[in-house]
Amino acid sequence: MELIKKIFIQLGQLDRRFIFLLIGLSVLIPLLKPDWINIPIKTTTNSKIVFEELNNLKEGDKVLVSFEYGASTKPEIHPMSVAVLQHLFSNGVKVYTVPLWPEGLMMAKYAIEEVVSSDLFNIEEHVDYVSLPYKAGGEIIIRGIATDMRSIFTQDVNNVLLTEIPMMTGINNITDFDFVFDLSAGVPGNAEWVQFACDEYKIPLSSGCTSIMVTDAIPYVESGQIRGILAGMPGAAEYEQMVFEYLNNDTYNKYLNKEAVIVPGKATSRMSAQSIAHLLMVIFIVFGNISYYLIRKRKI
Amino acid sequence: MKRQLAYFLVIFIGFLTLLGHFINYSPLNNFIDNDATQWFDIISGFAAFLGVINLLQLHLNKIANKRDNWRYSIITLAGFTIMIIFGFIYNGSSVAMGPHLKEDGSAFYWMFQNIYLPLGATMFALLAFFVASASYRAFKIRNFEATLLLISGVFLMIGRVPIGQLIPWWMALEIYICLFFALIANRFEEKKKMLFSLVICIIVLPLITYFLNLHNLSIFKIPELQEWIMDVPATAGSRAIMIGIALGTIAQSYRIITGRERSILGD
Amino acid sequence: MYEIIGIWCVVLLTLSIFSYLYGDNPFYKSAEHVFVGVSAGYIFTITFWDTIWPNLFGRLLPSYVKAGFEFDVSYIFPLVLGVFMLFRLSKKYDWLSRISIAYIVGMMAGLKFYVFLNSNLLTQIKSSTVNFSGTYLSIINEVIILIGVISGLVYFFFSKGHTGVVGKVSRIGVYFLMIKFGASFGFAVMGRISLLIGRFEELIEFSKPEYYYSTPVILVLMIVGLSFWSFKNNTNINKNN
Amino acid sequence: MNQYVKYIFFPTVILLVYFFFPFSIFLSGNETTFICVVLLCFVVEYFIEKAKNGEEIYMRPIAAIKAMEEAVGRATEMGKPVLYVPGISSLDQIDTISGLTILGHVAGMTAEYDASLHVPVCVPIVMETAKETCKESYLKKGRPDLYRDDMVHYVTDDQFAYAAGVNGIMLREKPAAVFFQGKFYAESLILAETGNSIGAIQIAGTGSSSQIPFFVTACDYTLIGEEFYAASAYLSGSPEMLGSIKGQDYVKVGCMMLILIVFISSILNGYGIIDFDIVSLFRTNIIK
């Protein structure tokens, strides 16, 4: 008994480098051997709301997708971007991408490229999607999109004049869109979209964001200012799965190439690493508490 | 006089931007909506020159005086100079200066992609380790507040990942019982009594729950509990903080635009 | 060729930053200083080409800088204010920079006053309405939220001491705040682990033969370097003692 | 009598003008906000005036604010520097401005105690403002000789590069007191953990609600949300500022009442007892 106590107390005073090492391994091993652990994914309400909202869009509806993340948060947000784009294209929705972070430009490009190269849909630039360039200014740009988009954007990323792009006709401000989807990892992000554009002009807004932002965004979700939310990597995995099932079951979808192979996304495979790391941390916390309890009792 | 001028400007611009939201005069509205903040960006762009001069001064000083770690300052200066050269002098791609910053193939972009990005992303990823050691230290059942912190933190951690869905109802119940006892452990005078009642609870409560057919309640499903925590008490908390922050910001802004908060302009 | 050099750079810098977990060491120090220098240069360049060039000169010299804007004479003001900012460098006229700062501070205070009142305060008050389409359970939840918000606000009272009734209510407020903090913490754990996954995936990718096994090679070299360094450091410390 | 004229008559007149002015010089659609602005200003102004006239104002003690002076004192005793981190945002966040006002007070303390102050800054324009603030504080305490221009210096604009730089400063200079006051994002934990590992007294304050938990767990004292904005008024101790805090408290009471009214009326509306949807009052339109 004394021995066990001693061990626990020792555990409580572990060098933090040891914790670092274990955390590192708990992430590394599932990534190296993904087939060792396989855990099913269950969807949460907020992700379902997002899916339903996007699913209710009709053919030809216009959706503004805003990219506010960069390379560092790519693992969390990028799978969402791809899944959302797939979902939109599978319903024949027109997509307009706008980056509000400098790196968002590249992320939008990668996401579109990934969807195009998957050969699932026959989509063409300027017919099914338009990519707008990055403009510095954050919330000013959101404000500008809300009031007068053409004063901010005159060309798309490939320097084609917007006046020459057919799918840009009739789009002058935010009220010309049917939906805004925001992929954000910070500021400007979904809060700015609520404050500066969507709330005021009553344009439905959904968001996918990093997990750290969720608690800040939840009041907006609760009040319906943001319709559903995809929360971090699990949110991405859930959405990926929903889209994957949707594409597989929807055999009559005219937008889908029948020959193409639908592959599940990346977030799903990352979830096992995530699960193990979380489990390890919980175990740390439990051990930490036991040793804390024992030490405290000794002092008394 | 010089100082008065600055205050006058703060008060004037402050009230202009505040009241401009209510006045029906489109140049003013347009100024507030777009130009005001654009101007800010431009002014801070000019200030960037000052930043650069300061950086150069600091590191050149360090090198000249051979202060601690002065050798590393050479690295900083080298990195800075290379970026400036690639940004303004040497292009390396076919597009014009300016757009070349984001062009795959320019020297600047190469530096961005291979030096800047990985460094930023790795610094960010270091947080995974720090958050582990911080939670190891912070999540202790010290008092009731700390316990709440722990409960909501831990339930979120496991409830959000697929592993949380694998936890059966009885295990969730046992976790609750253990937590409860951890919280009230201090109230017991005799250790044996506590252990005894803990064991009884651990054995009896699940049986009672099972026979009363209560085990399907969503409180025993960690993912659902987690969602509730997030939707209800955490929402209340964040709403209170949000309103508090809004009030604080408004009051602070008010003090600024009425010229009362003076230390900002050096007074 | 450049691609392979780039990848080796990525791996070297990534591992150098991770070496901080062992402790402050020359690898980390070098990476840190590279980062500071490169990022300062990067941001400066980006600020010039993305903000000053198009937004200022694009409006003042539209025929020369084609950024899609028309000539706008009011942009003389930010130019002047920006130049005032540079007067910081002069001892005699540095008070001019105060005017630029005064503009910024005043403008932002006025703007934030309105934005926070509108979007945070009023909308949050508005959202405390009860939604009757739900079940009784949801009404109970709404009541809990109401209690949480009110007691949380009581905690922030400054002109009343936390004693008596105020003290008790504010204590309940603290409980709600703690739950919110715990939730944020839990989410942060999740987010940060995902970032780590991203970095590790890249390192795993770069240990493939087509990149000449860059990750394992650099890792081994770094471990050797680190052990040599800490050995040397240890002997140094012993001498000093 | 005079007071009634001021604080009842004037707002009424303003509101009457606003609602009944014949020409459309006011935008329609954000009346609620306007009423709020007017009420808010006059309530705060009333309490400021009262405080100026010499009314005693009780302020609940905030541990973090009390600890600031102790921390500076301890750093002086140990002969180690005080590190002040004003966040990573520019002046477009009120947090940064609040952080700088607190810096003014902390610089005053270091001037008094003759402790060395070190302020690494992330944004050039904040650096210039911080320099100005520090210089004036040293001047006001009568110690302009102690002020050095390199006290405040620029690191870099990038979030994590700045975090790495400040990390380095902490590891190598080993400050005894660390202040984090301003707008912080993800780097908060890197900074606070490093500060914790070198054993410094850490006092944090921020309005970024998602970063508060990390400061709460890793720092010795934390100013949470609204407390942070009020800190500068607390530190200044002038009746004007304290009066405004008291006014803010009354605005808070008003908000709580409003929440209750909204809540109750929506219940009554839900049961069909009254036929009035209070939400329709909250038209929070901005400019079209």
Side-chain angles (χ1 to χ4, degrees):
Chain A
M1 198 63 192
E2 274 306 305
L3 185 75
I4 299 172
K5 268 188 192 170
K6 234 181 209 163
I7 291 172
F8 269 113
I9 289 172
Q10 285 294 316
L11 271 176
Q13 288 146 350
L14 268 186
D15 188 49
R16 60 181 201 154
R17 275 179 262 190
F18 192 66
I19 302 176
F20 293 159
L21 181 71
L22 285 180
I23 288 286
L25 287 178
S26 75
V27 174
L28 190 61
I29 293 169
L31 284 180
L32 287 174
K33 297 281 170 207
D35 32 315
W36 283 7
I37 307 133
N38 205 355
I39 304 161
I41 293 169
K42 205 183 124 212
T43 45
T44 49
T45 349
N46 276 329
S47 311
K48 253 181 234 158
I49 296 173
V50 176
F51 185 84
E52 292 301 323
E53 285 285 337
L54 291 189
N55 219 18
N56 288 339
L57 291 171
K58 293 181 291 294
E59 179 177 347
D61 275 359
K62 302 177 180 77
V63 174
L64 185 69
V65 183
S66 108
F67 285 77
E68 290 126 32
Y69 63 98
S72 52
T73 37
K74 196 179 164 195
E76 260 184 297
I77 312 282
H78 203 65
M80 290 180 199
S81 326
V82 175
V84 165
L85 287 178
Q86 281 179 342
H87 191 194
L88 291 175
F89 286 132
S90 74
N91 285 339
V93 172
K94 307 280 178 212
V95 174
Y96 301 77
T97 67
V98 55
L100 293 178
W101 286 23
E103 290 174 49
L105 183 72
M106 295 319 290
M107 297 301 138
K109 193 173 138 197
Y110 293 150
I112 291 271
E113 269 171 13
E114 201 171 326
V115 177
V116 171
S117 65
S118 73
D119 264 339
L120 283 174
F121 316 100
N122 299 316
I123 44 175
E124 258 179 74
E125 185 161 15
H126 298 166
V127 178
D128 301 288
Y129 66 91
V130 169
S131 308
L132 295 167
Y134 165 72
K135 297 276 174 183
E139 60 215 42
I140 313 166
I141 303 299
I142 297 181
R143 194 79 207 126
I145 293 173
T147 49
D148 182 9
M149 214 171 147
R150 297 297 177 111
S151 71
I152 296 175
F153 299 103
T154 47
Q155 300 172 329
D156 81 339
V157 273
N158 306 321
N159 299 329
V160 180
L161 285 176
L162 293 188
T163 42
E164 289 166 11
I165 299 172
M167 65 184 280
M168 284 304 293
T169 43
I171 291 189
N172 297 312
N173 59 38
I174 195 143
T175 50
D176 300 317
F177 292 103
D178 300 285
F179 202 89
V180 177
F181 196 90
D182 164 79
L183 296 153
S184 72
V187 180
N190 42 30
E192 279 69 24
W193 274 106
V194 172
Q195 289 173 5
F196 292 94
C198 294
D199 213 21
E200 189 184 338
Y201 295 97
K202 311 244 168 341
I203 304 298
L205 166 76
S206 274
S207 174
C209 63
T210 51
S211 14
I212 186 73
M213 290 176 68
V214 173
T215 43
D216 284 347
I218 272 294
Y220 293 125
V221 179
E222 281 290 293
S223 59
Q225 288 159 298
I226 299 176
R227 307 196 176 178
I229 197 160
L230 301 180
M233 184 100 69
E238 287 165 24
Y239 204 83
E240 258 178 10
Q241 208 183 25
M242 282 189 276
V243 172
F244 181 69
E245 280 166 13
Y246 176 73
L247 293 181
N248 270 330
N249 295 337
D250 197 8
T251 37
Y252 301 108
N253 193 321
K254 63 176 172 178
Y255 296 98
L256 203 61
N257 275 342
K258 295 292 167 300
E259 303 83 44
V261 191
I262 307 165
V263 282
K266 278 182 187 153
T268 315
S269 63
R270 289 175 190 153
M271 275 317 282
S272 49
Q274 185 102 41
S275 288
I276 299 299
H278 282 209
L279 195 66
L280 184 74
M281 292 206 16
V282 172
I283 293 171
F284 275 149
I285 292 168
V286 171
F287 280 158
N289 270 300
I290 295 174
S291 90
Y292 173 75
Y293 177 73
L294 292 173
I295 292 170
R296 196 174 56 174
K297 258 187 67 188
R298 268 199 184 173
K299 277 181 192 155
I300 294 166
Chain B
M1 175 56 209
K2 289 166 190 170
R3 192 155 289 169
Q4 247 61 37
L5 189 67
Y7 283 123
F8 174 73
L9 195 65
V10 168
I11 295 170
F12 175 71
I13 295 282
F15 274 101
L16 189 77
T17 34
L18 173 61
L19 298 178
H21 285 102
F22 303 103
I23 291 167
N24 191 5
Y25 179 56
S26 61
L28 179 61
N29 302 342
N30 199 26
F31 171 75
I32 292 164
D33 266 3
N34 300 312
D35 295 337
T37 29
Q38 292 265 15
W39 289 17
F40 160 70
D41 279 346
I42 291 168
I43 299 169
S44 35
F46 274 91
F49 283 101
L50 300 171
V52 166
I53 291 167
N54 189 275
L55 181 97
L56 293 177
Q57 259 175 0
L58 182 83
H59 288 282
L60 287 175
N61 239 331
K62 239 184 186 175
I63 297 169
N65 296 333
K66 304 228 156 138
R67 274 192 261 153
D68 288 355
N69 294 314
W70 63 275
R71 286 183 189 85
Y72 293 102
S73 287
I74 301 176
I75 302 181
T76 303
L77 287 182
F80 177 75
T81 321
I82 291 172
M83 280 318 255
I84 294 295
I85 291 173
F86 287 169
F88 294 96
I89 300 163
Y90 177 76
N91 185 329
S93 76
S94 52
V95 291
M97 276 291 183
H100 80 290
L101 301 184
K102 287 159 198 128
E103 180 65 25
D104 222 338
S106 73
F108 188 85
Y109 193 77
W110 188 92
M111 289 292 286
F112 170 71
Q113 189 85 351
N114 295 311
I115 309 277
Y116 180 76
L117 273 192
L119 280 168
T122 315
M123 265 324 269
F124 207 169
L126 272 189
L127 279 169
F129 298 103
F130 288 139
V131 92
S133 79
S135 62
Y136 184 53
R137 215 177 31 205
F139 286 162
K140 298 264 160 77
I141 303 183
R142 244 177 254 128
N143 48 30
F144 189 62
E145 284 94 343
T147 313
L148 284 176
L149 188 81
L150 176 136
I151 291 174
S152 82
V154 169
F155 281 150
L156 253 124
M157 251 184 254
I158 38 181
R160 295 292 305 172
V161 288
I163 245 177
Q165 284 141 18
L166 302 179
I167 296 177
W169 66 270
W170 52 267
M171 204 151 133
L173 181 62
E174 308 289 23
I175 294 172
Y176 300 151
I177 296 169
C178 290
L179 269 175
F180 181 72
F181 272 87
L183 204 59
I184 60 162
N186 284 351
R187 305 264 163 101
F188 283 93
E189 271 155 23
E190 271 179 67
K191 204 173 108 193
K192 275 208 180 114
K193 230 185 213 169
M194 187 195 86
L195 271 180
F196 183 68
S197 31
L198 176 66
V199 170
I200 297 248
C201 280
I202 280 182
I203 297 167
V204 175
L205 276 183
L207 292 175
I208 295 176
T209 317
Y210 186 75
F211 284 114
L212 290 179
N213 219 5
L214 290 172
H215 61 277
N216 282 328
L217 284 179
S218 51
I219 191 171
F220 298 124
K221 293 182 194 118
I222 299 233
E224 280 173 42
L225 181 73
Q226 170 272 127
E227 246 176 85
W228 181 82
I229 290 179
M230 199 170 91
D231 285 348
V232 180
T235 302
S238 45
R239 201 171 274 169
I241 290 185
M242 218 170 186
I243 293 176
I245 288 173
L247 276 173
T249 309
I250 291 167
Q252 180 78 310
S253 305
Y254 183 74
R255 287 195 287 268
I256 292 168
I257 61 175
T258 50
R260 289 195 173 90
E261 187 67 271
R262 298 191 152 192
S263 57
I264 184 78
L265 283 168
D267 191 26
Chain C
M1 183 57 199
Y2 283 124
E3 198 200 350
I4 295 291
I5 297 176
I7 280 159
W8 280 67
C9 277
V10 170
V11 174
L12 177 66
L13 292 171
T14 304
L15 291 176
S16 300
I17 294 281
F18 275 137
S19 75
Y20 172 68
L21 295 172
Y22 174 73
D24 196 19
N25 66 67
F27 287 110
Y28 172 73
K29 272 191 214 169
S30 314
E32 172 204 314
H33 282 82
V34 170
F35 196 13
V36 169
V38 167
S39 68
Y42 174 78
I43 303 267
F44 180 74
T45 317
I46 288 274
T47 315
F48 182 81
W49 287 116
D50 274 2
T51 308
I52 299 200
W53 191 248
N55 289 354
L56 179 64
F57 294 115
R59 281 184 173 102
L60 291 176
L61 308 163
S63 51
Y64 181 62
V65 182
K66 289 188 182 57
F69 294 115
E70 280 161 22
F71 179 70
D72 190 342
V73 75
S74 68
Y75 274 70
I76 294 281
F77 285 110
L79 177 67
V80 170
L81 289 174
V83 173
F84 277 4
M85 204 65 225
L86 296 181
F87 274 102
R88 287 292 310 187
L89 297 170
S90 126
K91 281 259 172 330
K92 202 172 161 199
Y93 294 107
D94 68 340
W95 60 275
L96 282 173
S97 70
R98 236 180 249 164
I99 293 180
S100 318
I101 294 174
Y103 164 78
I104 293 177
V105 171
M107 189 268 294
M108 278 307 165
L111 207 62
K112 295 284 165 177
F113 191 123
Y114 184 81
V115 167
F116 272 85
L117 179 65
N118 223 347
S119 306
N120 285 29
L121 201 58
L122 291 182
T123 34
Q124 285 311 317
I125 293 174
K126 182 175 112 184
S127 57
S128 49
T129 47
V130 184
N131 182 6
F132 265 83
S133 53
T135 55
Y136 278 105
L137 218 59
S138 75
I139 294 175
I140 294 174
N141 284 343
E142 296 282 350
V143 173
I144 295 176
I145 291 181
L146 181 79
I147 294 170
V149 174
I150 302 263
S151 55
L153 283 176
V154 168
Y155 168 78
F156 286 117
F157 268 130
F158 297 110
S159 54
K160 282 267 179 299
H162 281 173
T163 47
V165 181
V166 176
K168 273 184 192 133
V169 176
S170 74
R171 225 177 150 67
I172 297 173
V174 172
Y175 297 156
F176 277 94
L177 294 186
M178 281 298 161
I179 294 179
K180 139 82 184 148
F181 292 157
S184 289
F185 211 111
F187 269 116
V189 169
M190 195 162 79
R192 304 312 180 221
I193 298 276
S194 357
L195 299 174
L196 189 62
I197 293 175
R199 292 317 295 156
F200 277 4
E201 271 184 348
E202 201 158 90
L203 287 180
I204 293 170
E205 172 70 24
F206 292 154
S207 49
K208 285 183 182 156
E210 58 258 45
Y211 305 109
Y212 308 105
Y213 306 101
S214 68
T215 308
V217 172
I218 293 178
L219 187 65
V220 168
L221 288 178
M222 198 169 272
I223 289 173
V224 171
L226 269 182
S227 22
F228 179 71
W229 171 79
S230 58
F231 178 73
K232 209 177 112 195
N233 245 19
N234 260 338
T235 48
N236 270 348
I237 289 164
N238 289 342
K239 263 181 222 158
N240 287 342
N241 286 344
Chain D
M1 187 58 208
N2 202 0
Q3 286 210 336
Y4 288 113
V5 175
K6 236 184 189 166
Y7 294 106
I8 296 177
F9 181 66
F10 275 126
T12 327
V13 168
I14 291 176
L15 290 176
L16 284 177
V17 168
Y18 180 75
F19 281 105
F20 297 108
F21 201 76
F23 310 104
S24 61
I25 64 159
F26 296 108
L27 287 166
S28 62
N30 51 1
E31 287 83 3
T32 321
T33 319
F34 188 79
I35 297 171
C36 290
V37 170
V38 172
L39 288 181
L40 215 146
C41 291
F42 276 92
V43 167
V44 174
E45 208 50 55
Y46 173 73
F47 283 98
I48 290 177
E49 170 123 13
K50 251 179 117 177
K52 266 196 200 154
N53 290 341
E55 200 202 18
E56 273 291 299
I57 292 178
Y58 171 79
M59 284 282 133
R60 134 178 102 86
I62 295 179
I65 294 176
K66 277 191 168 169
M68 285 183 179
E69 188 136 8
E70 282 164 32
V72 174
R74 200 180 85 148
T76 318
E77 271 168 29
M78 293 169 75
K80 285 180 173 179
V82 173
L83 187 75
Y84 191 100
V85 183
I88 66 159
S89 272
S90 185
L91 288 180
D92 59 342
Q93 300 288 341
I94 296 294
D95 296 53
T96 313
I97 301 179
S98 295
L100 289 173
T101 57
I102 298 171
L103 169 65
H105 298 290
V106 173
M109 292 172 200
T110 55
E112 247 172 71
Y113 284 85
D114 191 3
S116 85
L117 177 68
H118 192 163
V119 188
V121 184
C122 183
V123 185
I125 203 157
V126 178
M127 168 187 78
E128 292 305 336
T129 319
K131 272 187 182 169
E132 192 74 35
T133 314
C134 286
K135 204 164 149 189
E136 289 292 326
S137 292
Y138 274 78
L139 198 68
K140 251 199 294 185
K141 294 282 170 188
R143 304 302 304 268
D145 51 311
L146 290 178
Y147 174 77
R148 284 171 296 106
D149 219 28
D150 61 350
M151 214 172 231
V152 181
H153 71 86
Y154 170 69
V155 181
T156 168
D157 268 278
D158 179 81
Q159 179 184 13
F160 288 106
Y162 176 73
V166 175
N167 233 358
I169 293 171
M170 281 200 254
L171 288 171
R172 283 148 225 157
E173 286 190 5
K174 302 247 184 311
V178 182
F179 291 83
F180 302 111
Q181 309 280 345
K183 188 97 183 157
F184 289 89
Y185 296 95
E187 73 291 339
S188 65
L189 186 62
I190 302 184
L191 298 175
E193 273 289 296
T194 308
N196 187 293
S197 74
I198 58 165
I201 295 190
Q202 302 196 90
I203 301 175
T206 182
S208 339
S209 62
S210 52
Q211 306 306 328
I212 297 171
F214 305 123
F215 283 138
V216 169
T217 50
C219 295
D220 302 278
Y221 300 95
T222 311
L223 292 165
I224 297 168
E226 202 179 351
E227 294 175 344
F228 165 62
Y229 301 98
S232 146
Y234 257 79
L235 285 165
S236 80
S238 78
E240 243 189 344
M241 299 287 255
L242 295 181
S244 75
I245 300 278
K246 180 140 193 182
Q248 188 180 334
D249 267 358
Y250 277 87
V251 174
K252 206 175 301 156
V253 174
C255 286
M256 283 154 67
M257 308 268 258
L258 212 54
I259 291 176
L260 276 179
I261 293 171
V262 168
F263 186 80
I264 292 169
S265 81
S266 75
I267 286 184
L268 294 181
N269 191 33
Y271 281 113
I273 298 170
I274 53 166
D275 188 25
F276 173 65
D277 190 10
I278 197 157
V279 177
S280 62
L281 277 182
F282 288 90
R283 279 176 300 175
T284 49
N285 283 6
I286 320 182
I287 301 151
K288 266 271 151 140

